[in-house]
Amino acid sequence: MNQTGNFQPFSSPPKAKKLHNDGNATDNLWSSLLDSVASGKRLPEKTLLVLGGSADVQKEFLDTLASDSTKKQHDRHRKKPPIANEFALGYTYQDVLDADQEDTLARLSTYTLSEPLTSFAPLIRPLFTTRTVPATLLVILLDWSEPWFWMRQIRDWIQLLREVFTSLDDGTKDAMEETMNEWQQRRRGGSANDLNGLGAAGNEANIAIPLGPGEWDEALGIPLCVVCFNSNMIEFHETDGGWQEEEFDYILQCLRTILLKHGASLIYSSSSNPNHLPLLIQSSLGIYSMLKRQPLKHNILERDRILVPPNWDSWVKIRVLREGFDVEAVSNGWSNDIKLPRQPANTSKLEGQSEPELQAQDLDSSSTRGPLSAYEDTISNPKKEMALEKLDISNGKLEVETMDMQEFLAGQLEIIENLKAQEEQGSDHRDDKGASSVTEQMTNAQLHHASSHTRRDAGNSDNKSRVDEHIGPVQFNMGGIQADAENMLKQLKDREREETPERELPATATTDGKAQNEALASFFAGLIKRGGNNSPKPPAT
């Protein structure tokens, strides 16, 4: 206690303040340690945006992409992540596993969109931020069941993406530009971060190879990969569609030329033949296995296993595939095609008549014809001619004018009444005509029967006369008396004719008399045969 009466044993407030400061420092230290440990265990997050394809084709593509990761999931009895892609923007995820199927390398969040509609642009715009852009890959999914739509589908998707990218903030655009600069440096071993995950040794890592003609002219800002799925349909187009090597080479040259302008990769794949699809997608996203490094090799010879990595292709290599392909004209024309106003229509199906409508609009203006129109003229749609037959030449649109429902029903009622009246008239006419035809048929049958009997009797008499001329009169010995069988038969017939009264006998009596005559005739015929065989021999002289 001091003289003023205030008790201050020690300066406690300063000590309390010091302890408080030490506690904050300790908390910050532990927080930083925990954050570092958590960040070390946090999985790298990658984003995959799949554009195009039906819901079923998207599911098959994702199943093929996850084929390397299904083993571990089945062993642990884990449920497969659901794929919600039936409406608008779909979503699913998968864990990318290492080669030993034990360690998880990254988590891949996959978004799907089937139609390039402008109304879907707000759905995918939030996916592109300064944080997600470096870890995002775009995939345009094409289907080999409809290869005649490919150029149009690629154009529509690129136009939609450009519309979305132009509306992003400046920070995101700067991140996209930086990403594209890094990708342009990954050229033929020109960077230590190539797709194989293997760095170039020595001074090769610092070599910057200049861009060739037509390379990276239309960079999007996000890496792009085009997957031509269901490549097993190639054989179908060859056998049923009559396609030859020229058609397949033309498709490949067009795709390689336009994708070279965007720095994109190309692969033909299917559920039965993945063709390094998981390796291409993972390496494009920067996901590499630490146990097994697989090189990503190009393949342009096997037409169902085409693989063109990014930064590998060039105009020279495209021309080598088949002579006569104007790669420069296609490249320059593609820049004009993607700058045209995008037509809001569905190009995935022809059944809704949207695709022929687009084709008709393209045919209306010859000034807009470019690689897209040339491609659709060369790779024609089998359903195109059938759809264009319904095209109204007068207005150049696929339109059908329909009448009012009541007018249509009234017209149908009139047609039904006319048919009913014609049927009734036809039935009366058929009855009269049927009766006369029956009588006529009966008369013809009787005449035919009588004529057949006459011909038969005449034929029998002719045969009998020929036999008589051949064998002569038949005689036999009856009780020592030489008798002529023909004369006796004739006399019997004459006697029977004299005894029969000349009156009309009933049909039954005539039939009985005829039967008796036939019996007598057969009796005497038998006697003639026996008499001919038992006739006495002439005496020997």
Side-chain angles (χ1 to χ4, degrees):
M1 183 178 296
N2 54 16
Q3 296 178 355
T4 60
N6 294 331
F7 181 75
Q8 294 180 352
F10 47 83
S11 58
S12 57
K15 290 184 178 180
K17 184 177 181 180
K18 182 178 181 181
L19 292 174
H20 180 70
N21 293 335
D22 293 342
N24 289 338
T26 304
D27 293 340
N28 294 333
L29 178 61
W30 281 108
S31 298
S32 61
L33 291 175
L34 293 176
D35 291 340
S36 62
V37 173
S39 62
K41 293 184 178 181
R42 187 181 299 119
L43 292 177
E45 296 181 1
K46 306 292 182 179
T47 303
L48 182 67
L49 179 58
V50 181
L51 306 173
S54 61
D56 295 334
V57 174
Q58 289 177 354
K59 290 180 180 179
E60 292 180 4
F61 166 74
L62 295 177
D63 290 340
T64 305
L65 186 61
S67 59
D68 293 341
S69 303
T70 55
K71 181 178 178 181
K72 180 180 178 181
Q73 293 175 357
H74 291 172
D75 293 342
R76 295 186 178 181
H77 303 286
R78 295 180 179 178
K79 292 184 178 180
K80 181 180 177 181
I83 303 175
N85 65 337
E86 298 295 335
F87 306 101
L89 186 65
Y91 175 77
T92 187
Y93 70 93
Q94 72 176 66
D95 292 335
V96 181
L97 305 180
D98 206 345
D100 58 355
Q101 303 293 322
E102 293 295 336
D103 297 331
T104 303
L105 300 178
R107 168 156 292 184
L108 183 61
S109 298
T110 304
Y111 298 88
T112 61
L113 191 64
S114 296
E115 304 296 338
L117 302 179
T118 307
S119 57
F120 291 160
L123 297 178
I124 62 176
R125 186 177 293 111
L127 301 179
F128 306 103
T129 62
T130 55
R131 184 180 63 86
T132 60
V133 163
T136 301
L137 176 66
L138 302 174
V139 172
I140 296 180
L141 186 60
L142 306 177
D143 192 353
W144 261 108
S145 61
E146 297 175 338
W148 36 85
F149 293 152
W150 284 0
M151 293 281 281
R152 186 176 297 274
Q153 290 173 348
I154 295 175
R155 185 199 66 175
D156 292 344
W157 284 117
I158 289 178
Q159 290 179 342
L160 177 63
L161 291 172
R162 284 190 164 187
E163 180 180 346
V164 172
F165 293 161
T166 54
S167 62
L168 298 176
D169 58 277
D170 295 337
T172 304
K173 292 180 180 179
D174 294 339
M176 295 171 63
E177 184 178 359
E178 183 179 355
T179 301
M180 288 293 96
N181 291 332
E182 293 179 359
W183 270 81
Q184 292 179 13
Q185 297 303 320
R186 301 180 183 182
R187 307 185 66 252
R188 308 175 186 88
S191 175
N193 299 321
D194 56 350
L195 289 180
N196 297 331
L198 303 175
N203 296 327
E204 294 182 358
N206 299 323
I207 298 177
I209 302 177
L211 297 176
E215 296 183 19
W216 293 97
D217 291 345
E218 303 290 343
L220 295 175
I222 302 290
L224 175 64
C225 176
V226 174
V227 179
C228 302
F229 205 64
N230 290 328
S231 59
N232 53 308
M233 292 289 294
I234 293 178
E235 185 177 357
F236 171 79
H237 292 299
E238 183 179 12
T239 55
D240 293 4
W243 286 17
Q244 298 179 358
E245 292 293 337
E246 289 77 5
E247 283 78 5
F248 295 107
D249 292 343
Y250 179 77
I251 293 175
L252 182 57
Q253 286 179 315
C254 287
L255 292 178
R256 290 171 60 183
T257 302
I258 64 175
L259 296 182
L260 183 64
K261 299 180 69 65
H262 305 289
S265 56
L266 174 66
I267 186 173
Y268 290 4
S269 179
S270 65
S271 57
S272 59
N273 184 14
N275 186 23
H276 302 295
L277 176 62
L279 179 60
L280 176 61
I281 300 299
Q282 295 173 13
S283 59
S284 299
L285 287 169
I287 304 174
Y288 307 110
S289 174
M290 308 309 301
L291 300 177
K292 185 179 179 180
R293 299 295 181 91
Q294 298 180 1
L296 189 63
K297 297 182 179 179
H298 65 277
N299 185 359
I300 57 174
L301 299 179
E302 301 177 70
R303 64 184 183 185
D304 59 338
R305 297 174 58 87
I306 296 297
L307 175 58
V308 180
N311 295 319
W312 176 86
D313 215 349
S314 64
W315 281 9
V316 176
K317 296 176 182 178
I318 296 174
R319 289 192 180 101
V320 171
L321 183 61
R322 183 171 293 275
E323 297 181 358
F325 182 77
D326 194 350
V327 60
E328 185 175 0
V330 173
S331 180
N332 296 332
W334 181 251
S335 299
N336 297 327
D337 284 343
I338 61 178
K339 292 178 182 178
L340 295 175
R342 194 166 68 91
Q343 300 166 348
N346 181 6
T347 62
S348 61
K349 296 293 181 183
L350 183 63
E351 298 171 356
Q353 294 184 349
S354 59
E355 181 61 24
E357 192 171 3
L358 284 177
Q359 294 172 355
Q361 292 175 1
D362 284 344
L363 292 175
D364 289 339
S365 58
S366 59
S367 59
T368 61
R369 295 180 60 85
L372 174 60
S373 301
Y375 178 87
E376 292 180 347
D377 291 341
T378 305
I379 309 300
S380 60
N381 184 1
K383 300 179 182 179
K384 177 180 177 180
E385 296 180 359
M386 184 182 302
L388 291 180
E389 287 179 357
K390 303 177 182 179
L391 182 63
D392 188 3
I393 305 300
S394 61
N395 55 14
K397 295 182 179 180
L398 286 173
E399 295 180 354
V400 178
E401 295 182 0
T402 59
M403 64 175 63
D404 185 69
M405 180 62 70
Q406 297 300 325
E407 295 179 1
F408 173 76
L409 294 177
Q412 294 297 317
L413 179 61
E414 183 179 357
I415 294 174
I416 292 174
E417 291 178 352
N418 293 336
L419 292 175
K420 186 176 180 181
Q422 293 178 4
E423 185 177 358
E424 291 177 354
Q425 294 178 359
S427 61
D428 298 339
H429 181 66
R430 283 195 300 271
D431 293 341
D432 298 340
K433 186 176 180 180
S436 60
S437 62
V438 170
T439 305
E440 184 178 357
Q441 290 176 1
M442 293 177 63
T443 305
N444 293 335
Q446 293 176 355
L447 293 175
H448 177 72
H449 183 70
S451 61
S452 62
H453 275 290
T454 303
R455 289 194 299 270
R456 185 167 61 252
D457 294 341
N460 293 336
S461 61
D462 293 342
N463 294 334
K464 187 174 181 300
S465 61
R466 293 195 200 97
V467 172
D468 293 342
E469 292 177 358
H470 225 3
I471 63 176
V474 178
Q475 296 180 354
F476 61 94
N477 189 356
M478 182 182 292
I481 301 174
Q482 199 77 11
D484 190 351
E486 291 183 359
N487 291 333
M488 292 179 67
L489 183 60
K490 183 177 180 182
Q491 290 175 4
L492 289 172
K493 291 181 178 181
D494 293 341
R495 184 183 301 176
E496 183 181 359
R497 191 180 301 109
E498 292 175 357
E499 293 178 356
T500 303
E502 295 181 357
R503 61 185 179 86
E504 186 177 358
L505 298 176
T508 57
T510 304
T511 304
D512 295 339
K514 185 176 181 180
Q516 293 177 1
N517 291 336
E518 290 179 354
L520 289 174
S522 62
F523 171 74
F524 282 107
L527 291 178
I528 292 173
K529 291 181 180 179
R530 288 196 300 271
N533 296 331
N534 299 328
S535 59
K537 297 180 181 181
T541 55

